Amino acid sequence: DPCQATSNSTDHGPDGNYYCINEGDVGGTTSFCTCTCPTGFFGQNCQNAEHQVDGMTELFNKVSNRECSSCTTGNSIIANGDIVVMDVGEFTSSGEICASSSNMLLPEELYGSIKCLDDKGSCVVDGENTKRIILVRGTGGRELTFRAIAFKNGKTTSAGGGLYIRSGAIVDLLLCTFSNCRASGTTENWHGGGAIYIASSGGTVNVFGTSYTGNTAESGNGNDIYNNAGTITIHNTCPSPYSSIVPSKGSALDAYGTIAGSAFSYSECHLTNTPTIVPTPAPTPAPTPAPTIPPYECDKGYINPTGGILRSACEICTLGKYNSKVGAIICLNCTSGRFSSAIGATSDSTCSLCEAGKYSSQAGLSSCTNCNAGKFSPVVEASSESTCIACAAGKFSNSTGATEASTCSDCGVGKYSPSPGAPSCTNCAAGKVSLSTGASNETTCSDCEIGKYSPNVGSSSCTSCEKGKYLPSKGSNSPLACLKCARGTAGNAEGLAECKKCPLAGFSPVEGSAICSFCPT
C-alpha cells in the first residue's frame, strides 16, 4: 500500500504510516517508505532545518542555550541536528547580545553544525580581547561541527581563549583558524590552551585543515592546545569535499597534553586549482608512515559499514535487525518466525515471536504475514506458510490470521464448498436448491421439481407456479417457464405439472383459467 505521512515520530512505515514533517513528500510503499525534503530541510524525516544568520545577536539566539543565573539565553534555539549558516563577515561582541560577561556563546548538550557561507574562513568571530569565544558544555552524545570559522582575539582569565570543551562533548573542527586567542590564567596549574582547552570532564575532538597563529597561554601550558583529559586528533588530510587535496602543512603546534595524529597547522584545503610545480629531481627519502586512525566504534544499534573515522559514518540498524556490540560493521537479522518494528535495536530480545495465525518465512522482517482467509494456524513462531491449515471441504473462513479450527464454518443451505481452504462457499445455481449444511459437492444441489422454479442462486426452496399455470419440466429458474393452461383446461392448484380438461358441460374460454365454467341449465 502507498505510504502516508504522519507527525508521529514513532511511525516507521511497516503499516504504511511514516513520520514525515515540514511538508516533506512521502513516497514508497508499506515497509519501504521515504520522505523527500523541501528546500531548507533535511534528515530522514525532514526533521532538521537550515538557518541563515548575518550578525552576532542572530547567531547567539540560535545556538547559545545555556541557562544559569549569570547567563543570557537565546530566544530561538535550533533543534538538535540543525545547521546554522553564517553570512560572510565579522561577528563581534560590541553592541550585540552575548551569553555572559566572559563568553560570547554557551551551547549546552547541543549538536548539529555551525558553518560559514563559504569554506575560506571568511566568517570571523572576534572576542575583541574581552571574551572567550565559545564554551561547549556537552553535545548530547552527537557531533557539534564548526566549519570554516575564524576564532579571533578570544580572551579568558582561565583556560581556552578561543574554544573551551567539557562534559564529554564531541566536536569536529573543519577548515577553521585560531588567531591571537589568549588564556591569561596563571594561578592554577590547569590554566592554559590559548586557542583550545579540553577539560578534565573529557571530550572528543577531530581537527581537519585548521591553522593556529599568535595564540598565547600565559601559564606556558599550551599556547595553541591544552588537553587535560580528553581525546584530540589532528588529521593531516582535508575534509569532504576536498579529500583528494593535500593540505599545506604549517608550523608545529605548541600543545600541552596528549595530541593524536600530526600536531601541525594545516590550511588551503579549499583551493581547488593549485598550480602545478615541477620539482627538482632529488633522492627520494623513505616516507614517514602516516598515523593509522582506526574506524569509529559505533554504539550498539548502529554499525560502521564503510570504516569511517567520524561518528557521522555510523548507520542505524533498520526494522527487522539489531546489533548488540559496540564497533560492529553489520546488523544481524531477526530469524524467520520473528519480527521487529524497532529501529536502532540493541538486542535480539526486540525480535518478537510471530503470533498464532501468522508467519514470517524470511529473516530480517519488520512484520509477520497473516494466514490467508480459509486457513488457520495455532502455531507460534511459524516460519512457513505451510503451517497455515486449510479449512475442510464443506467449510469456509473469511478471516485472515485465524488461529483455531473453530473459525471454519459449515456452508449454509443452498451452498457448497468442494475444495479445502475456501474463503467463501459456492452458491447452488438458479433452478436448483439444497437443504444440506456443510455440503462439499455440487451434487447436493437438486433440480426444482416439475411445477416449481427457483430464480435465485443459493436457494433452499423452490417457488410453485401460480394457479392457472403449469410447468412440465424440472430445474426451471424463471417464473416465465410456467405455462398458461390452454382454453378448455384449468389449473385449480399451485405447482401443477399439467392442467385438467374441463368436464362435460364445462368450458374455459380463455388461457390461464384456474377453474372451468358450466353452461346454465
Side-chain angles (χ1 to χ4, degrees), residues 217-302:
E218 293 189 12
S219 65
N221 297 331
N223 287 329
D224 295 315
I225 299 173
Y226 187 123
N227 181 18
N228 194 338
T231 301
I232 181 167
T233 304
I234 310 294
H235 299 267
N236 62 356
T237 56
C238 292
S240 177
Y242 312 115
S243 303
S244 62
I245 297 175
V246 178
S248 176
K249 183 177 180 181
S251 59
L253 302 185
D254 187 88
Y256 185 91
T258 302
I259 308 294
S262 182
F264 289 86
S265 285
Y266 287 97
S267 61
E268 299 183 358
C269 283
H270 65 277
L271 298 178
T272 56
N273 295 309
T274 305
T276 302
I277 300 175
V278 179
T280 302
T284 303
T288 301
T292 301
I293 302 174
Y296 187 89
E297 290 194 342
C298 301
D299 294 335
K300 297 177 181 179
Y302 291 79

Side-chain angles (χ1 to χ4, degrees), residues 45 75-76 89 241 258 266 285 293 297 304 306 316 399 425 470 478:
N45 310 104
N75 60 19
S76 56
T258 302
Y266 287 97
I293 302 174
E297 290 194 342
N304 185 350
T306 62
I316 195 167
S399 300
C425 298
Y470 71 100
S478 172

Side-chain angles (χ1 to χ4, degrees), residues 21-342:
I21 58 175
N22 293 320
E23 300 184 359
D25 184 14
V26 73
T29 55
T30 300
S31 295
F32 299 97
C33 299
T34 60
C35 184
T36 302
C37 302
T39 302
F41 295 93
F42 62 98
Q44 182 177 354
N45 310 104
C46 299
Q47 74 276 24
N48 293 117
E50 188 173 282
H51 311 264
Q52 196 91 13
V53 297
D54 62 3
M56 183 61 210
T57 298
E58 282 192 18
L59 177 61
F60 160 81
N61 281 325
K62 291 296 182 185
V63 303
S64 194
N65 64 337
R66 166 74 169 157
E67 296 180 0
C68 67
S69 59
S70 60
C71 303
T72 303
T73 305
N75 60 19
S76 56
I77 301 299
I78 64 172
N80 272 328
D82 283 4
I83 297 175
V84 175
V85 180
M86 300 167 60
D87 281 348
V88 170
E90 289 199 350
F91 294 69
T92 63
S93 59
S94 297
E96 303 281 353
I97 301 176
C98 290
S100 68
S101 61
S102 56
N103 295 282
M104 295 181 72
L105 298 172
L106 276 171
E108 182 172 28
E109 300 302 332
L110 187 74
Y111 60 84
S113 179
I114 304 171
K115 67 178 186 178
C116 186
L117 186 62
D118 65 28
D119 279 344
K120 301 178 182 179
S122 304
C123 298
V124 181
V125 185
D126 191 341
E128 299 178 297
N129 293 311
T130 61
K131 289 181 174 64
R132 176 192 288 124
I133 294 174
I134 303 177
L135 191 160
V136 180
R137 298 175 63 95
T139 57
R142 303 286 292 274
E143 296 96 347
L144 176 59
T145 299
F146 297 100
R147 185 181 183 101
I149 296 175
F151 293 74
K152 179 181 178 183
N153 297 328
K155 181 182 178 181
T156 178
T157 57
S158 57
L163 181 62
Y164 188 113
I165 298 168
R166 57 167 295 176
S167 304
I170 303 172
V171 175
D172 292 344
L173 293 171
L174 314 178
L175 310 174
C176 293
T177 63
F178 288 83
S179 62
N180 300 318
C181 292
R182 181 181 177 191
S184 63
T186 60
T187 58
E188 299 181 53
N189 59 9
W190 56 269
H191 286 165
I196 300 173
Y197 179 83
I198 305 173
S200 58
S201 54
T204 301
V205 184
N206 280 286
V207 185
F208 293 82
T210 295
S211 62
Y212 308 78
T213 56
N215 303 300
T216 305
E218 293 189 12
S219 65
N221 297 331
N223 287 329
D224 295 315
I225 299 173
Y226 187 123
N227 181 18
N228 194 338
T231 301
I232 181 167
T233 304
I234 310 294
H235 299 267
N236 62 356
T237 56
C238 292
S240 177
Y242 312 115
S243 303
S244 62
I245 297 175
V246 178
S248 176
K249 183 177 180 181
S251 59
L253 302 185
D254 187 88
Y256 185 91
T258 302
I259 308 294
S262 182
F264 289 86
S265 285
Y266 287 97
S267 61
E268 299 183 358
C269 283
H270 65 277
L271 298 178
T272 56
N273 295 309
T274 305
T276 302
I277 300 175
V278 179
T280 302
T284 303
T288 301
T292 301
I293 302 174
Y296 187 89
E297 290 194 342
C298 301
D299 294 335
K300 297 177 181 179
Y302 291 79
I303 57 171
N304 185 350
T306 62
I309 62 174
L310 298 180
R311 187 184 181 90
S312 57
C314 298
E315 297 179 6
I316 195 167
C317 290
T318 55
L319 303 175
K321 302 175 184 291
Y322 67 94
N323 168 40
S324 59
K325 296 181 180 180
V326 174
I329 60 174
I330 59 170
C331 298
L332 301 178
N333 288 323
C334 292
T335 58
S336 55
R338 297 177 177 240
F339 74 101
S340 173
S341 58

Side-chain angles (χ1 to χ4, degrees), residues 295-471:
Y296 187 89
E297 290 194 342
C298 301
D299 294 335
K300 297 177 181 179
Y302 291 79
I303 57 171
N304 185 350
T306 62
I309 62 174
L310 298 180
R311 187 184 181 90
S312 57
C314 298
E315 297 179 6
I316 195 167
C317 290
T318 55
L319 303 175
K321 302 175 184 291
Y322 67 94
N323 168 40
S324 59
K325 296 181 180 180
V326 174
I329 60 174
I330 59 170
C331 298
L332 301 178
N333 288 323
C334 292
T335 58
S336 55
R338 297 177 177 240
F339 74 101
S340 173
S341 58
I343 62 172
T346 60
S347 169
D348 63 356
S349 63
T350 59
C351 300
S352 303
L353 303 180
C354 289
E355 300 172 345
K358 303 174 183 287
Y359 65 93
S360 66
S361 57
Q362 300 177 26
L365 295 182
S366 61
S367 61
C368 300
T369 303
N370 285 322
C371 289
N372 291 332
K375 298 185 177 185
F376 66 93
S377 173
V379 178
V380 175
E381 197 180 358
S383 59
S384 172
E385 196 271 341
S386 63
T387 58
C388 299
I389 303 169
C391 294
K395 295 179 180 287
F396 77 100
S397 171
N398 57 11
S399 300
T400 60
T403 61
E404 299 177 350
S406 60
T407 57
C408 301
S409 303
D410 286 337
C411 292
V413 293
K415 303 175 185 293
Y416 65 96
S417 171
S419 303
S424 61
C425 298
T426 303
N427 289 315
C428 290
K432 296 179 179 287
V433 293
S434 173
L435 296 175
S436 301
T437 58
S440 61
N441 198 301
E442 187 184 11
T443 58
T444 58
C445 301
S446 303
D447 288 334
C448 286
E449 300 172 348
I450 56 177
K452 298 183 179 183
Y453 64 91
S454 172
N456 300 318
V457 298
S459 296
S460 59
S461 63
C462 299
T463 302
S464 296
C465 291
E466 60 187 15
K467 292 179 181 180
K469 295 185 178 183
Y470 71 100
L471 206 168

